Amino acid sequence: MIESLDGIFETVNYKQSTTLKLYDNTEFEDYPMHWHPAIEIIMPTENGYKLTFSNSEAKLREGDICVVCPGCVHSIEAPETGRRVIFQPSTDILRSMRDIETLISFMSPYTVITPEEYPDIYRRLKTLLTDIRDEYMAGMPFAEVNIYSKLLEMFVLIGQRFSINNNEHKDDSYGVKGEYAFVFMDICDYINSHCSEDLKLDDIADMSGFSKYYFERLFKQFAGTSFYKYVNQKRIAKAQELLIEPGNSVTDVALNCGFTSISSFIRMFKLQKGCTPTEFKNMYWGIRRGAQNNND
């Protein structure tokens, strides 16, 4: 269930004295388009579940696991009967670890984990998520620490699996291995922190110590997308947060997120989010004003 929805922004009401929220949910209730800064892990335990995103949808079967990344706009459609685990941990502390920030970028906007596509880690991930649910409900001392340790193990398994996938069927001469992987983690950290600046491929390639051509090949293999697409993903994620702040115009947001023209910003935002920045902004504030009027 959504306890606090302000426009399309959900405030996650964490369990008292923790940064965790978990629902063992049986509600027959659809949830409108919304987003939140917490990561969300969903696993139907009885019947299926349907999630709709800006440009796609995910129909989860019983036992499938969906990881919804922070800032991803999505809606949820529930069947008339069913049950599912909905786990929302804060990743504020975890994202200080560069591996976690990089993994979230790889999984963005969402990733569905099934036994067919992830046969080597699926069973363990399902067990970990089930254990997290049981630990949360029991409320024993040090439960939060125990839960985060299990969440970290989930991230390790998924991250290692992504690394294997990114290196399968590749020319070994372009393999991102050993110390090269750490170089590209540093590059991604730099992009995440400086995405609003005028980042040029030549300059970032120089930072890496590789030629432009070699860097492009290695970066795409490591991140699963091209350099400029990765930069734009980070810029749009930042823009989404700025658009819901009062007083920020679309022009201001575009310039503060590294776009040199409004048209390119609008085009990129719609490509990634399925609506224009103005539509996103109006949707947020329109729903918020409507909620305020209903309370008056």
Side-chain angles (χ1 to χ4, degrees), residues 38-275:
I39 203 164
E40 184 169 28
I41 304 176
I42 300 172
M43 181 179 70
T45 54
E46 296 175 10
N47 211 338
Y49 216 39
K50 179 181 175 182
L51 285 79
T52 300
F53 303 90
S54 297
N55 298 311
S56 61
E57 65 179 29
K59 294 182 179 179
L60 304 183
R61 304 165 304 174
E62 188 174 306
D64 288 346
I65 300 170
C66 183
V67 181
V68 182
C69 293
C72 174
V73 180
H74 61 287
S75 65
I76 301 175
E77 181 180 326
E80 293 186 7
T81 60
R83 187 173 186 176
R84 71 287 306 178
V85 174
I86 302 176
F87 179 41
Q88 295 176 306
S90 172
T91 55
D92 288 347
I93 297 175
L94 299 179
R95 293 181 77 166
S96 64
M97 305 178 192
R98 63 180 182 179
D99 288 0
I100 299 297
E101 182 64 30
T102 301
L103 176 59
I104 289 174
S105 297
F106 289 169
M107 293 190 295
S108 183
Y110 70 95
T111 295
V112 176
I113 297 168
T114 66
E116 293 83 7
E117 294 187 24
Y118 296 82
D120 51 339
I121 64 171
Y122 167 78
R123 187 176 296 277
R124 181 56 182 163
L125 291 175
K126 183 179 179 181
T127 297
L128 286 167
L129 188 53
T130 301
D131 289 347
I132 285 172
R133 177 197 61 190
D134 295 343
E135 186 77 21
Y136 182 92
M137 295 303 178
M140 300 296 288
F142 288 92
E144 184 177 27
V145 176
N146 196 8
I147 287 171
Y148 270 110
S149 70
K150 296 180 188 303
L151 178 63
L152 281 171
E153 184 178 346
M154 293 181 71
F155 284 158
V156 169
L157 290 171
I158 297 170
Q160 290 176 341
R161 190 68 185 86
F162 267 80
S163 297
I164 292 171
N165 285 343
N166 286 343
N167 281 290
E168 284 180 345
H169 311 300
K170 301 288 184 179
D171 183 340
D172 287 342
S173 64
Y174 292 102
V176 184
K177 301 176 182 178
E179 69 275 15
Y180 287 5
F182 290 102
V183 169
F184 281 87
M185 285 182 186
D186 288 338
I187 292 296
C188 288
D189 286 343
Y190 183 86
I191 294 172
N192 297 343
S193 300
H194 298 82
C195 64
S196 59
E197 300 174 13
D198 183 19
L199 299 179
K200 296 186 182 301
L201 176 59
D202 288 343
D203 296 336
I204 304 300
D206 286 342
M207 288 176 55
S208 72
F210 299 114
S211 68
K212 176 181 175 181
Y213 173 75
Y214 197 47
F215 173 81
E216 283 187 288
R217 291 287 300 271
L218 288 174
F219 186 90
K220 188 169 184 178
Q221 180 180 326
F222 180 80
T225 189
S226 70
F227 168 76
Y228 283 114
K229 283 185 178 179
Y230 185 89
V231 172
N232 282 326
Q233 287 173 1
K234 294 302 175 183
R235 288 174 173 171
I236 294 302
K238 180 178 180 180
Q240 184 175 305
E241 296 180 6
L242 293 178
L243 283 168
I244 67 169
E245 294 182 5
N248 285 342
S249 69
V250 172
T251 301
D252 291 337
V253 171
L255 295 177
N256 287 330
C257 292
F259 291 92
T260 56
S261 73
I262 302 301
S263 60
S264 62
F265 171 55
I266 293 172
R267 183 172 61 253
M268 187 57 60
F269 193 96
K270 188 170 184 177
L271 180 66
Q272 291 192 28
K273 297 299 178 182
C275 62

Side-chain angles (χ1 to χ4, degrees), residues 13-26:
N13 296 324
Y14 297 116
K15 188 176 183 179
Q16 186 176 5
S17 302
T18 75
T19 54
L20 303 168
K21 189 67 177 182
L22 185 144
Y23 302 97
D24 189 359
N25 180 279
T26 59

Side-chain angles (χ1 to χ4, degrees), residues 27-42:
E27 299 292 329
F28 172 41
E29 182 180 2
D30 296 338
Y31 305 126
M33 281 292 186
H34 65 283
W35 69 279
H36 37 72
I39 203 164
E40 184 169 28
I41 304 176
I42 300 172

